[in-house]
Amino acid sequence: MQTSDSWPVIFPDYKGVTVPPDIAPLNFMLTGDFDRCSVEISGKDQKITRYFRGRNVTIPGASWSKLIYGNRDGSIIFTVAALKGRIWKKFKPFAIHITDEPADDYLVYRLLMPGFQNWNRMGIYQRSVSGFRVRTVLDSRIMPGTCMNCHSFPGNDPENMVLHLRESYGGTLLYTNGTLEKLTTRTGRMFASAAFPYWHPSKRYIAFSVNRVNQIFHAAGPYRATALDLRSDIVLYDVKEHEMKIPPQLSAENKFETFPCFSPDGKKLYFCSAEEKKLPAELKNTRYSLCSVDFDEETGAFGSVTDTLISSHATGKSISIPRVSPNGKYLMFTVSDYGAFPSYNPEADLWIMDLETGQYHPADSINSPETESYHSWSSNSRWVAFSSRRSDKLFSDIYLAYMDKDGDFHKPFLLPQKDPEFYGSTLFSFNLPEFSVRDFPVDPYRLAKAAKSRSSLQVQPETGTH
Amino acid sequence: MQKNKALGNAVILFSGLFFAGIFVFYAFFYNSHLHFEEQFQLHLMTWDWLLTRLSLPGGFAGYLGSFLTQFYFVSLAGPVVIVLLLATLTIVVKKIFSKVNSTAALFPFTFIPALLSAMILCNEFYPLSAITSFLIAMTGAMTYVSVTRRDRRAIAGSVLIPVTYWLAGGAFISLVLIMIVYELILRMRSSGTRSVTGDIPGLKPISFWYFVVYVVLGLAVPLVVRQYLVMQPLMITFLSEFYYKVRTTIPTAVIVLFILPPVIMLILYTVRVKENRVTLAAAAAILVFAAIGFLGFRNFANFSAEEIMRYDYLVRSRRWDDAVKYAERNPPRNFLSLSMLNLSLAKSGQMGSRMFSFPQRGDNGLFIPFNKEYVAPMMGNEILYNLGFVNAAQEYVFESMETIPDMGKSARALQRLAETNLINGEYRVAGKYIDLLGKTIFYRKWARNARNYLNNEDKIDKDPDWGEKRKFAITEDYFFSIKNIEASLAMMVKAHPDNKTAFEYLMAFYLINKDLRNVLYLVPVMEKMNYREVPVAYQEALMYVLGLNSNDPMKNAPPYISQATKERMQAYAGIYTSYQDAETRLKKNFSGTYWYYLHFGKLVRSDDSEKK
């Protein structure tokens, strides 16, 4: 056997990553042609050795779980060898670090083929973090022709849930306290239905952005499409009163306001705001600032003054998708050169703001030269799931990254799959990853029945906001 | 004895004529439908793909259907596949029917399910898996009726229902109906209400309670599957997704197909042919069969769609000259066909000379407006790709694939997406598509070759097609919209005056829109095109302008205007200015000229919609 000084080239690249103590087996494939390969995974008092035909390493679940659980707060070492012709080559061993802090049990995400406007299969699915089991929340098999987006749960708990549907069977599905209803959210002077949601921690309110989105297409170069947010406001839905408030400070005539996000204590709403521009002509000059406004849970009223936390004039960048860690210490957001839909911008990166000091910076250790966009915090504020197009610039995949007690991110890892070749052949993008602490409580047929229902609850405008 | 022999010969002759007829129909009159079907599916020869299919009710038949549909790629292989499938179906059905009535004179009845199947396949929304599923169910029925002991038959029935449901999906309904009808017939026989004519007389029927078991199984199995195994709408649960490509529509024709065998069994059971009426009965059955066939094909076959598909197939295969020759025999009757013809004229260097020999009706015959369906964007992508609008072609082909009614993928679309990504240097994405195509039978060779281009800039640059697209690449980005195609073309021609196809399309755009001012603006570009002979339509347009602005257009004509054009214009002008019925008089000899189009051509504007 030859011994190599170099690490094996593997996909996904799990070398040196930090994983939760209950992660599914990190199956991978060796890059290159090999007849056989072997892996020895060793930790404290335990070892797994397996041989495989070809180049794919698939680790048995039971042994893997035992091994990583026994090595919490430590590391395990992978020693990989590969056979080509008659020569075995043993690569330099690499480590994987295992924290003692788990991520939430599930990830809920949307799958669709990435590219342009249309889709023929789309669905929202729940994937177990500790295994490979995937459960359908809702998909095109049950609801053909319906666009499903923006599934949102307060505190990562799907016991309360809102889901926006468009095209066939359009509407907003709201699940609260075991009751599922379909809402018609457009009311009063709203110019469209409510779209991107964020729950207030009290579960009494949901802040929505209302957007008029159009997609346009690049004639040249590697960029395919761009989405334009031609108009946007933020509204507040009162779940108890079935009322929609349209706060004037979040629906100004000369501004685009979008991406609402409540702080974990519920006293502040973060959002993104840009000066109104003529689109698409001024698209590249449309940049969103990060803003906040006080919120009073008792009255459901926003403060009269909005604060600009990060000004687009100062940074020359555009901010989107602010998300506060559940412990209230950090705010993660996406930064791109322009616009409100960073998934179309290859330069889009994740940034982090320390809410105590107000300092912010790019989260370099988890970014790549390609798009990073949507992100979700685990309920213990230690893990972030985010979508990235880094593998091929087009298909979004879900990466998980650990944030340590010092607020530093460790090397992220691609959500493992049973078949290491999965990502090479799937025609689906994974987007809108949301952590979830429990199994999704609503049966897909029940969701579909509610969505297909002809009757829906017409949300009423708050008195005085007609 | 002699009569039997004659009848035997008639059966052979009838079978030969029937299957030869189906072969000829699909090979020579309806072949483009098969190519159309093939291109809008992706069948991977991998275990994963097989297992994915097998995990669905009807998935085995679906797999079999798409496996066989692959062979439509080869023009004559498709009809052979169909004929073999229908011949097998006929043999199986004959065995079932013979249990009820084995009178040879009624042989045409055994061909009716195959006849309806052949008709169904005329409709591109019915996939071949509708027939493979039906065949599986009929095989199940054949197995059932061949079991002689009633207790064993009852067990067989109880097993066949769930097995057939899983393998064939909705066709299990036909199996259940056949089982029930067969048992009813046995009951009637055993009660002596009719004389016995089937192959195995004297069989005992199963207990009535098994009827109940069959019905309960037929209802319960799909519902249990829906609740615990596969999430899907109720209709798809009973039918499965492999019978009709639009999942929200009830496919009436296959429902009729399901009901047909048990109905024919009942008819056969009631019909009795006297010895001396055998010939008459056979003739009557053939007559009925022929009538059904004639009316059915008239109803199911769509030759307008076949024409569009033919143009599309020829363009896809880059058989430009063949497309033009086809147009000479079958002038385009709609914008889709016309746009494919115009592309073929441009690619074969005939656009400027011959485009007005065909019925031009507006710029929708040049560019296909974007529709949220799968046919127009697929065809539109060919035009944009060949003009050098690689990203726009990519968008069109993507949108086409993502609106395929059965929610599947398309080998043709993936091939084009692989090309556009190679041209744009997006090798990892291109590699993904190429890898998928490498797992098919008929695109494997192409994929193997394309793989050599990944990360090889020089090789792509030197490729006659992909290299040309790179050469004509748009360097300054803008937002593309087909509604602004004129501006896009103008920018393309300005940036790449050597993009002859783009130039001729821009000229065609102005000529078709009777915009002679812009035609004149393009003359300097035209003069640099080094035409050995300036295209006739351009000559005619320029002569027309000269005629308006010059006292002696013949004398003042530029040197590239041919003497023939000048003489033709004199003749045209002579008639045009002298007769009130000039349109009629000019039609015979001048309908192919630009002047005739200019004066009498009806222009349908881009924003006017046309029903496909």
Short mmCIF file of all heavy atoms in Angstrom, two decimals, chain B residues 185-196 269:
data_model
loop_
_atom_site.label_atom_id
_atom_site.label_comp_id
_atom_site.label_asym_id
_atom_site.label_seq_id
_atom_site.Cartn_x
_atom_site.Cartn_y
_atom_site.Cartn_z
N ILE B 185 -70.66 -15.07 -16.58
CA ILE B 185 -70.90 -15.92 -17.75
C ILE B 185 -70.88 -17.39 -17.34
O ILE B 185 -71.74 -18.18 -17.75
CB ILE B 185 -69.86 -15.62 -18.85
CG1 ILE B 185 -70.13 -14.24 -19.46
CG2 ILE B 185 -69.85 -16.69 -19.93
CD1 ILE B 185 -69.06 -13.72 -20.40
N LEU B 186 -69.92 -17.73 -16.49
CA LEU B 186 -69.86 -19.12 -16.02
C LEU B 186 -71.13 -19.49 -15.26
O LEU B 186 -71.64 -20.60 -15.37
CB LEU B 186 -68.63 -19.33 -15.12
CG LEU B 186 -67.27 -19.30 -15.80
CD1 LEU B 186 -66.17 -19.62 -14.80
CD2 LEU B 186 -67.20 -20.27 -16.97
N ARG B 187 -71.62 -18.54 -14.48
CA ARG B 187 -72.86 -18.78 -13.74
C ARG B 187 -74.01 -19.05 -14.70
O ARG B 187 -74.79 -19.98 -14.51
CB ARG B 187 -73.22 -17.54 -12.92
CG ARG B 187 -72.83 -17.68 -11.49
CD ARG B 187 -72.99 -16.40 -10.70
NE ARG B 187 -72.23 -16.59 -9.49
CZ ARG B 187 -72.70 -17.20 -8.41
NH1 ARG B 187 -73.95 -17.63 -8.37
NH2 ARG B 187 -71.94 -17.40 -7.35
N MET B 188 -74.09 -18.20 -15.74
CA MET B 188 -75.19 -18.35 -16.71
C MET B 188 -75.05 -19.67 -17.45
O MET B 188 -76.03 -20.36 -17.70
CB MET B 188 -75.19 -17.18 -17.68
CG MET B 188 -75.66 -15.89 -17.01
SD MET B 188 -75.88 -14.53 -18.15
CE MET B 188 -74.27 -13.89 -18.34
N ARG B 189 -73.83 -20.03 -17.74
CA ARG B 189 -73.60 -21.31 -18.42
C ARG B 189 -74.03 -22.47 -17.54
O ARG B 189 -74.70 -23.39 -17.98
CB ARG B 189 -72.12 -21.48 -18.72
CG ARG B 189 -71.69 -20.88 -20.01
CD ARG B 189 -70.25 -21.17 -20.19
NE ARG B 189 -69.73 -20.49 -21.34
CZ ARG B 189 -68.45 -20.46 -21.67
NH1 ARG B 189 -67.55 -21.03 -20.88
NH2 ARG B 189 -68.05 -19.84 -22.73
N SER B 190 -73.61 -22.39 -16.28
CA SER B 190 -73.89 -23.52 -15.40
C SER B 190 -75.37 -23.63 -15.11
O SER B 190 -75.89 -24.70 -14.86
CB SER B 190 -73.09 -23.40 -14.11
OG SER B 190 -73.49 -22.23 -13.45
N SER B 191 -76.07 -22.48 -15.21
CA SER B 191 -77.52 -22.56 -15.00
C SER B 191 -78.22 -22.97 -16.29
O SER B 191 -79.45 -23.08 -16.33
CB SER B 191 -78.06 -21.22 -14.51
OG SER B 191 -77.85 -20.25 -15.51
N GLY B 192 -77.45 -23.15 -17.35
CA GLY B 192 -77.99 -23.71 -18.59
C GLY B 192 -78.79 -22.76 -19.40
O GLY B 192 -79.57 -23.16 -20.26
N THR B 193 -78.61 -21.45 -19.18
CA THR B 193 -79.39 -20.49 -19.95
C THR B 193 -78.88 -20.36 -21.38
O THR B 193 -79.58 -19.91 -22.26
CB THR B 193 -79.37 -19.10 -19.28
OG1 THR B 193 -78.03 -18.76 -19.01
CG2 THR B 193 -80.18 -19.11 -18.00
N ARG B 194 -77.60 -20.71 -21.60
CA ARG B 194 -77.05 -20.63 -22.95
C ARG B 194 -76.28 -21.91 -23.25
O ARG B 194 -75.78 -22.58 -22.34
CB ARG B 194 -76.04 -19.47 -23.07
CG ARG B 194 -76.60 -18.12 -22.73
CD ARG B 194 -77.48 -17.58 -23.79
NE ARG B 194 -76.81 -17.51 -25.09
CZ ARG B 194 -77.31 -16.87 -26.13
NH1 ARG B 194 -78.47 -16.26 -26.04
NH2 ARG B 194 -76.68 -16.85 -27.27
N SER B 195 -76.13 -22.19 -24.51
CA SER B 195 -75.31 -23.33 -24.88
C SER B 195 -73.83 -22.94 -24.71
O SER B 195 -73.48 -21.77 -24.73
CB SER B 195 -75.58 -23.73 -26.32
OG SER B 195 -75.23 -22.67 -27.15
N VAL B 196 -73.00 -23.94 -24.59
CA VAL B 196 -71.59 -23.69 -24.28
C VAL B 196 -70.78 -23.60 -25.57
O VAL B 196 -70.85 -24.46 -26.42
CB VAL B 196 -71.07 -24.82 -23.39
CG1 VAL B 196 -69.59 -24.65 -23.13
CG2 VAL B 196 -71.83 -24.83 -22.07
N TYR B 269 -70.59 -13.56 -25.74
CA TYR B 269 -71.36 -14.59 -25.06
C TYR B 269 -72.77 -14.69 -25.63
O TYR B 269 -73.34 -15.77 -25.75
CB TYR B 269 -71.42 -14.29 -23.56
CG TYR B 269 -72.26 -15.28 -22.80
CD1 TYR B 269 -71.85 -16.61 -22.67
CD2 TYR B 269 -73.46 -14.89 -22.21
CE1 TYR B 269 -72.62 -17.53 -21.99
CE2 TYR B 269 -74.24 -15.80 -21.53
CZ TYR B 269 -73.83 -17.12 -21.42
OH TYR B 269 -74.58 -18.04 -20.75
#
